[in-house]
Structures are given as structure tokens and as C-alpha cells.
Amino acid sequence: GAALLALAASPLRVVVHPGETTTITVRNLGAAAASVAAAPNAYRLDLRGRPQLAAASRSWLIVGKRRFALAPRRGTEVAVRVVAPRGARPGDHAQVLLFSAAALGVRGVRVAVRVGVVVVVRCPGILRRRLAPLALSARRTARGPVLRLLLRNAGNVDEWVSSKRLVVRVWRGSRRLAVLRPRPRRLLAGARGLFEWSLARRVTGRVSIVVSTGAKPERRYRLRL
């Protein structure tokens, strides 16, 4: 089935301003002809950064080709015009343009695949970038303590939370016990994310934890591990 039908789209994420048009290239990399449907979907990320799709109550995307056919190893370009409702707030608003392809496989079995392109509509106005720690907690496991940080994107621009943007340092007095950095992931504007780190078993007792997000002042917590 994978060799029979494989769908690719490029780019997979694009930032566009209202009134602009962008072009998505869709390719059928499989060995069978495919019928493809394009549909805008609402888009968010859960606390752990996993994509969640839902029917869009109002689409910001006007798709030039809603349905089309692709021969094996052929591609086409799909024009997408971006519109914004009146009164849309400044900053980023993300939707997914979902391409669904179907083909007939061996013995008439229907094969289907989907690929999504994240279209971020960046509305004009003052853009703010700010990551705000909301809460820090700890729990003990058989392997050692686990720190859990709840972080909010308090700005209006999608943020890429990398090891340069978020750093967590664990101290006991003047001794630094650990420097923790996140697995890079995206945090949508206004959304919250949960970040976790495992510590060594020997890290116990009262500690001081400093959370740095590039903003001043840094957030400081005291916990018992």
C-alpha cells in the first residue's frame, strides 16, 4: 500500500499575510493514479505538542483546487488565497490545509493517505514574543524525580521552543546540579505546552530551580524532590 500510494506536499508550513496567495506543490509519489481532495481544518497542538485537527468553523483559506486527480509520479500546484475576518487580532492564526488521497489497491482494496500543510495567517499589527512559565511541579518515580513545567506562549506569534529559548537550571545552594533543555517543538500563539525532564536518582531534597525564557526577570522556584 505504501508503494502504491504516497503523497507529498511542499512546503509543509508557510506564513502568509491576509490578501496574499501562496502555492503548495502536491506530488503523487506512488505507482497508482490518485484522486485528491483539499480541505481546510482547524489546527491546534495539545500540551505535549501533538497535532489536533477539527472541522474549521470558518476557513481563512480559499483553495484554488478542491478536488483533482494525480497520475503516478506526477505533481500539481495548488493556489491558496488567505483571507481574514473583520476584526481579526494581530499576530498568528494557524489552520491546516489537509490533502486526502485515495486509490484502488490489490483486489480492489481502497488505499488512503493524508498529508497536512500548516498555513499560518499573520495579521498586521504589533507582534509580541513572550514565553511565560505558569507552574513547575515534581514527582518521584522509580528512576528518579521528574520535573514538569507548564509554559504559555503569552505572545501573539508562534514560537519555536528550542534549547536556546528555554533553559532550566537546578541548584542546591551554590552548586548547580543539572541544566535541562527541551526537545525542540512549536508553541502556537496563546497556547500552553507541558515540558518534562527526568533527573538522576541522587537529586533529592530541597532545590532551587531557575527557568530562563529570554525574558527578564527569570522565574525561580523552590521544590522538594
Side-chain angles (χ1 to χ4, degrees):
L4 182 74
L5 180 60
L7 196 67
S10 177
L12 289 177
R13 183 178 184 273
V14 62
V15 178
V16 192
H17 295 88
E20 294 181 346
T21 299
T22 189
T23 300
I24 309 298
T25 300
V26 183
R27 296 186 182 278
N28 177 7
L29 305 179
S35 59
V36 184
N41 279 246
Y43 175 72
R44 71 178 185 89
L45 301 173
D46 68 11
L47 287 177
R48 299 185 182 277
R50 294 170 295 206
Q52 304 288 314
L53 304 183
S57 58
R58 178 170 184 174
S59 175
W60 296 43
L61 312 178
I62 300 176
V63 185
K65 297 178 183 178
R66 298 297 293 259
R67 294 186 177 275
F68 53 92
L70 281 179
R73 297 177 178 83
R74 291 292 186 268
T76 189
E77 292 185 342
V78 178
V80 182
R81 185 171 180 269
V82 173
V83 295
R86 186 184 300 275
R89 69 182 187 276
D92 290 350
H93 306 262
Q95 285 200 335
V96 162
L97 183 56
L98 191 65
F99 294 96
S100 303
L104 287 179
V106 179
R107 298 187 180 91
V109 176
R110 184 174 180 270
V111 181
V113 297
R114 300 194 304 175
V115 61
V117 174
V118 178
V119 181
V120 179
V121 183
R122 180 162 292 175
C123 292
I126 298 175
L127 301 182
R128 303 185 307 275
R129 297 182 180 273
R130 179 171 173 259
L131 296 178
L134 297 180
L136 182 71
S137 60
R139 62 185 178 90
R140 290 206 64 86
T141 69
R143 296 183 178 182
V146 174
L147 285 182
R148 296 163 57 105
L149 173 67
L150 185 62
L151 188 68
R152 178 172 179 260
N153 182 352
N156 58 4
V157 178
D158 296 351
E159 295 279 7
W160 182 247
V161 183
S162 67
S163 59
K164 293 182 179 180
R165 192 68 196 277
L166 175 63
V167 182
V168 177
R169 297 178 175 86
V170 183
W171 298 82
R172 180 179 291 124
S174 60
R175 181 187 176 194
R176 189 173 67 190
L177 303 179
V179 178
L180 310 174
R181 301 180 186 273
R183 179 177 298 175
R185 53 179 273 201
R186 193 169 298 282
L187 197 57
L188 300 182
R192 300 184 302 167
L194 185 65
F195 296 80
E196 290 187 335
W197 297 272
S198 296
L199 299 174
R201 289 184 181 180
R202 58 181 174 77
V203 181
T204 59
R206 289 190 176 277
V207 296
S208 175
I209 300 175
V210 180
V211 179
S212 302
T213 61
K216 298 296 182 181
E218 298 173 323
R219 291 295 300 270
R220 297 177 180 271
Y221 299 86
R222 292 188 180 276
L223 295 178
R224 177 180 290 275
L225 302 179

